[in-house]
Amino acid sequence: MKYALVTGGSRGIGRAVCISLAQMGYCVIVNYLSNDAEAGKTLELISEAGGSGELLKFDVSDMKAASDALEGWMESHTDGYIEVLVNNAGIRKDELMLWMEPENWYKVLGTSLDAFYNVTRPLLKQMLVKKYGRIINMASLSGLKGLPGQCNYSAAKGGLIAATKALAQEVGRKGVTVNAVAPGFVRTDMVEGLDEAQLKKTIPLNRFGEPEEVAALVAFLASGQAGYITGECISINGGLY
């Protein structure tokens, strides 16, 4: 059995990634924090796509919770290991720095950047022992260029991009690749409240992206065909720079 873990897999891009990986033959472990109904819906969609999956509920920003959940999973699954990890979980708490409360800074960094450490580290050893692994980190246009009102989100995603490049150099010799994907404006819950009509004018392709388009890129990076790509951050943003 081949296993893939997608954090924040209950909705949006995470859900689309889960379905794409299931179609590649992976048993997909859907991580989520609180929305049992949406997580269950993702599992149903995986099944409808002809795949298999399971739910793993824990807070990626909580080191102990992540460690306990992943160690428990490994102890109960001796038929394989998690060879594909998609660090997708993330939240936005947009606010100008002048008015940003500490909890909105630390929560955003915790859910994206701390979570990368909390989830990746426990799974890395088996990838290195097996000499095969794919780690794909969900970054953002905000992490590449910075966006006003998103100092916290830009810091989290910019740090994730740098960590991607560093880890890729540490584990490449063992057959483990580490890449990041940086979406622009994609039609999910994350862009609710934004002025789509106005923002489309700034995008050369004149539209928002779809979750399935990002998932297709993630699926390629997770495949054997992408074995010579590592340490990269690939933009998928309709030409918006």
Side-chain angles (χ1 to χ4, degrees):
M1 182 67 74
K2 299 194 304 178
Y3 292 99
L5 169 63
V6 181
T7 68
S10 64
R11 292 181 295 175
I13 292 174
R15 172 179 283 174
V17 169
C18 287
I19 295 168
S20 291
L21 293 176
Q23 291 171 334
M24 291 171 64
Y26 283 99
C27 177
V28 181
I29 306 152
V30 183
N31 160 260
Y32 69 107
L33 176 59
S34 59
N35 197 324
D36 296 317
E38 290 296 330
K41 178 64 175 176
T42 298
L43 214 53
E44 290 176 14
L45 293 170
I46 287 172
S47 180
E48 290 174 8
S52 62
E54 55 189 85
L55 302 179
L56 193 60
K57 184 178 182 178
F58 66 90
D59 183 353
V60 293
S61 69
D62 184 324
M63 184 186 300
K64 186 178 188 306
S67 178
D68 289 348
L70 294 172
E71 287 179 9
W73 184 92
M74 287 185 280
E75 289 173 1
S76 63
H77 293 74
T78 57
D79 59 335
Y81 73 105
I82 295 172
E83 65 178 59
V84 173
L85 168 61
V86 183
N87 286 304
N88 169 74
I91 59 170
R92 280 178 44 223
K93 297 286 186 182
D94 294 357
E95 202 168 21
L96 295 176
M97 175 65 90
L98 180 63
W99 309 114
M100 187 176 294
E101 296 295 331
E103 59 265 27
N104 288 343
W105 174 267
Y106 291 110
K107 186 62 177 176
V108 169
L109 263 70
T111 307
S112 288
L113 193 53
D114 293 347
F116 163 75
Y117 173 82
N118 294 343
V119 177
T120 304
R121 185 173 177 270
L123 302 180
L124 200 54
K125 183 177 180 179
Q126 284 189 314
M127 291 184 186
L128 297 175
V129 169
K130 300 290 186 180
K131 295 185 178 180
Y132 184 88
R134 296 284 186 267
I135 299 170
I136 300 112
N137 300 316
M138 195 62 63
S140 169
L141 172 69
S142 185
L144 289 168
K145 73 183 293 288
L147 292 174
Q150 289 193 343
C151 284
N152 49 3
Y153 195 67
S154 295
K157 295 304 186 180
L160 189 60
I161 292 167
T164 296
K165 294 177 179 294
L167 183 59
Q169 296 177 62
E170 294 179 9
V171 300
R173 292 181 182 274
K174 293 292 186 178
V176 178
T177 65
V178 190
N179 291 289
V181 171
F185 295 106
V186 177
R187 201 182 308 280
T188 68
D189 294 348
M190 290 284 279
V191 298
E192 284 185 0
L194 300 181
D195 187 342
E196 181 174 350
Q198 189 63 34
L199 287 169
K200 283 197 304 184
K201 297 176 183 178
T202 69
I203 303 170
L205 288 185
N206 195 38
R207 67 176 177 88
F208 278 15
E210 299 296 336
E212 292 75 17
E213 292 175 303
V214 181
L217 174 56
V218 173
F220 171 68
L221 291 173
S223 72
Q225 295 172 306
Y228 203 51
I229 302 172
T230 195
E232 291 298 319
C233 179
I234 302 175
S235 294
I236 176 166
N237 58 26
L240 177 62
Y241 292 99

